[in-house]
Amino acid sequence: MISKLIKNTYILLLIVDLLLINIVVYFVFEKIHQSLQFNAYISVFWCVTSIFTNYYKVYRFTNFYRLLRLTVVQALFFTLGFFAYFGIFKEGEVVNTQFKTLIITLGSLALFKLISFLILKKIRQFGSNFKKVIFFEKDDTTKKMIKLFQNRASLGYSFLGYFSNKITDDSNYLGNESELYDFLKLNEIDEIYATLSNLKKAQVKKLTKYTSLHNITLKLIPDSKEFYSKSRNVEFYDDTLKVLSVKKLPFDLIENRIIKRVFDILFSSFVCLFIISWLYPVLWILIKIESRGPAIFKQEREGFNGNEFVCYKFRSMYINKQANKVHAIKNDSRITPIGKFIRKTSLDEIPQFFNVLLGDMSVVGPRPHLESLALEYQKDVDNYLERHAVKPGITGLAQISGYRGEIKKKSDIKNRVRLDIFYIENWSFMLDIKIVVSTVLNVFKGDENAY
């Protein structure tokens, strides 16, 4: 139970820190200067700076000196932001309790960080909040790490054993490489440590792909000749133990998921209030006048983690039995006259902003496919399922790159998936903005694949 409660310590610690900041401001700061504006400013400033300083990136192997450095750096940024408020909004005013408030706030935050750090170590010593780990191949460094995990319970690692293609009678030996993947399917493993000196590049690539798809953390134990790339972080577990951590994908970080979700809500709310509010009734009337049937077409599509959801679109076709089986093609006889216009201008996708608000979709992401067609695409593209790592989008990198609409040949879906995966692995907020702007421009310029 305790382990589940502290699983997402980042959010829990952030909430407590924000409460501490606001409580100190309320009780210590001069009441005349208390305002919602200041509380909102200082809270947002703390959240933003904590992301850039990596304040909450405290790991099981983090030592006291790194903890101290994080605290000092964050305190310096917070101090600058604290006094900047008065320079911007209260220029020339003297507030007697400024320094008192700042010192008590920083002292409370530092004390809480230290106490929470020590409490977590104690909890792990008693067997809670531990991570189940296994090793793939074994060398001298591996032996040191296993000994470290077994002797220092406060790190919170539960060593289950190791796999190797060299069969031994060691009690910790669990099996060979093929048995490793069977073991992973049947057991909930948190981390895998792989010894690079005994593995081929193909084995590392396969392991990297598997762990990425199944949300398992992969740690690589290097030899003296191992090179370090941008895709790997160097972590020190002890004075002599060095480990390469395969960097997480952008959406593995909760702060990125929060930024993307906030953008989705704000952007979709704007579209719903200022565009759909008047466009919806106009198109509803035109569609209903032209042909019989509902104005909104509902279709089940594949979403996040492969789960199905109901996708909304303005109906652009006459009612037909093939609507849920076959994509539209050029000069498709099923498309109505008004349907040609709304498809050409992508207005048929507008109702999907409701899907975004409901949490089924994102403004930007891989386009959702029909389940029947998705099964066919999986046969042609090996890494097709990686698209399910994020929510599907109204628009995406593949769409603005010319890969939208009808799939005419296998290379079309392969290129679409390639761009979708590139987006997932290289996401940034500015990339989303670029895709949205390009989509809007394409609506006015026209897209030859929009039919």
Side-chain angles (χ1 to χ4, degrees):
M1 182 64 182
I2 295 175
S3 183
K4 289 182 179 179
L5 287 174
I6 60 178
K7 189 175 182 180
N8 294 317
T9 53
Y10 173 86
I11 295 296
L12 183 62
L13 295 176
L14 175 62
I15 291 172
V16 175
D17 283 342
L18 291 176
L19 284 173
L20 281 173
I21 292 169
N22 285 276
I23 287 171
V24 172
V25 168
Y26 182 82
F27 287 104
V28 180
F29 216 24
E30 288 183 347
K31 290 187 180 294
I32 192 171
H33 292 288
Q34 290 174 13
S35 67
L36 181 62
Q37 182 188 49
F38 179 74
N39 285 71
Y41 165 84
I42 207 66
S43 297
V44 171
F45 187 84
W46 176 269
C47 292
V48 173
T49 53
S50 69
I51 292 173
F52 288 101
T53 62
N54 294 322
Y55 183 70
Y56 293 103
K57 289 190 176 180
V58 177
Y59 307 103
R60 294 162 187 267
F61 50 83
T62 298
N63 57 42
F64 177 75
Y65 297 104
R66 173 173 164 76
L67 191 79
L68 181 62
R69 186 181 68 81
L70 289 172
T71 304
V72 171
V73 171
Q74 179 67 5
L76 290 173
F77 275 101
F78 184 77
T79 301
L80 291 174
F82 184 88
F83 287 113
Y85 173 84
F86 299 98
I88 298 170
F89 301 104
K90 303 286 182 181
E91 187 176 359
E93 292 189 23
V94 177
V95 183
N96 295 326
T97 54
Q98 272 184 340
F99 287 100
K100 183 180 178 181
T101 302
L102 180 63
I103 291 170
I104 294 176
T105 301
L106 292 178
S108 301
L109 292 168
L111 183 62
F112 172 68
K113 191 166 188 70
L114 177 61
I115 291 172
S116 61
F117 179 74
L118 295 175
I119 288 175
L120 279 172
K121 281 190 171 294
K122 284 293 181 183
I123 288 173
R124 288 165 188 151
Q125 279 183 329
F126 289 109
S128 294
N129 189 234
F130 60 85
K131 287 190 175 183
K132 292 190 286 186
V133 302
I134 58 173
F135 286 76
F136 185 24
E137 293 301 346
K138 190 178 180 182
D139 63 2
D140 292 337
T141 306
T142 303
K143 294 174 183 177
K144 291 179 182 178
M145 292 199 69
I146 293 172
K147 189 176 180 180
L148 178 70
F149 290 168
Q150 291 174 333
N151 293 341
R152 290 178 59 183
S154 61
L155 289 175
Y157 290 98
S158 176
F159 169 65
L160 302 184
Y162 72 93
F163 288 84
S164 175
N165 287 324
K166 299 176 183 177
I167 301 173
T168 68
D169 56 358
D170 189 336
S171 60
N172 291 320
Y173 178 73
L174 297 174
N176 58 30
E177 183 177 356
S178 61
E179 292 173 301
L180 164 65
Y181 294 99
D182 292 332
F183 184 86
L184 292 175
K185 291 175 184 177
L186 299 173
N187 297 273
E188 294 182 3
I189 301 301
D190 297 299
E191 295 183 357
I192 298 176
Y193 291 78
T195 306
L196 287 171
S197 58
N198 295 321
L199 294 176
K200 296 178 181 177
K201 287 184 178 180
Q203 290 176 299
V204 176
K205 186 177 180 181
K206 181 181 178 181
L207 192 58
T208 301
K209 184 176 181 179
Y210 184 92
T211 52
S212 176
L213 285 173
H214 294 84
N215 197 30
I216 301 172
T217 300
L218 174 62
K219 301 291 183 76
L220 304 175
I221 303 173
D223 55 28
S224 58
K225 298 178 182 179
E226 176 57 28
F227 64 92
Y228 308 131
S229 69
K230 290 182 179 179
S231 64
R232 297 171 184 173
N233 286 324
V234 181
E235 297 173 347
F236 291 89
Y237 280 54
D238 207 349
D239 294 334
T240 59
L241 289 177
K242 189 189 307 181
V243 174
L244 299 180
S245 176
V246 178
K247 283 188 178 180
K248 290 178 177 287
L249 295 175
F251 293 116
D252 289 336
L253 303 176
I254 192 168
E255 55 264 38
N256 289 339
R257 296 202 301 270
I258 291 172
I259 291 170
K260 188 167 178 64
R261 184 58 185 153
V262 169
F263 172 73
D264 284 343
I265 293 171
L266 293 177
F267 189 82
S268 298
S269 298
F270 175 84
V271 172
C272 290
L273 286 172
F274 297 102
I275 299 177
I276 295 181
S277 57
W278 59 267
L279 183 63
Y280 186 97
V282 173
L283 291 179
W284 187 89
I285 292 170
L286 292 174
I287 293 169
K288 295 292 284 186
I289 289 175
E290 184 182 57
S291 60
R292 298 176 64 180
I296 296 295
F297 177 63
K298 300 177 183 179
Q299 192 174 57
E300 289 192 346
R301 297 284 184 101
E302 280 194 332
F304 182 59
N305 285 333
N307 297 321
E308 287 194 347
F309 71 99
V310 178
C311 182
Y312 302 117
K313 297 180 72 172
F314 277 121
R315 182 171 60 83
S316 59
M317 293 183 176
Y318 295 107
I319 301 298
N320 67 92
K321 295 181 180 179
Q322 298 297 311
N324 291 313
K325 300 177 181 178
V326 182
H327 272 310
I329 60 174
K330 198 165 187 176
N331 300 318
D332 200 316
S333 60
R334 297 175 298 167
I335 301 175
T336 65
I338 188 66
K340 291 179 181 179
F341 170 75
I342 64 174
R343 292 177 74 92
K344 192 69 178 175
T345 56
S346 298
L347 292 177
D348 59 323
E349 313 285 358
I350 285 287
Q352 287 167 32
F353 282 102
F354 292 120
N355 283 117
V356 175
L357 289 176
L358 290 171
D360 295 321
M361 293 181 67
S362 182
V363 174
V364 181
R367 285 294 295 159
H369 293 151
L370 291 168
E371 185 181 12
S372 57
L373 295 174
L375 292 173
E376 293 181 21
Y377 299 154
Q378 288 176 39
K379 299 175 184 176
D380 297 327
V381 187
D382 293 334
N383 51 357
Y384 177 85
L385 292 177
E386 291 182 32
R387 301 171 77 254
H388 294 159
V390 298
K391 291 178 182 178
I394 296 175
T395 184
L397 183 61
Q399 281 61 48
I400 66 167
S401 302
Y403 295 100
R404 60 169 291 179
E406 183 183 4
I407 303 295
K408 297 178 181 178
K409 49 187 183 295
K410 287 184 178 180
S411 61
D412 290 339
I413 187 61
K414 288 183 178 180
N415 285 320
R416 186 177 295 186
V417 171
R418 175 177 57 82
L419 288 167
D420 287 339
I421 293 173
F422 177 88
Y423 169 79
I424 293 170
E425 294 180 346
N426 298 275
W427 176 89
S428 70
F429 178 67
M430 292 310 299
L431 179 58
D432 270 6
I433 297 299
K434 179 183 177 181
I435 292 172
V436 170
V437 172
S438 297
T439 302
V440 174
L441 293 176
N442 284 344
V443 168
F444 291 102
K445 289 192 301 184
D447 189 330
E448 63 179 11
N449 292 323
Y451 50 78

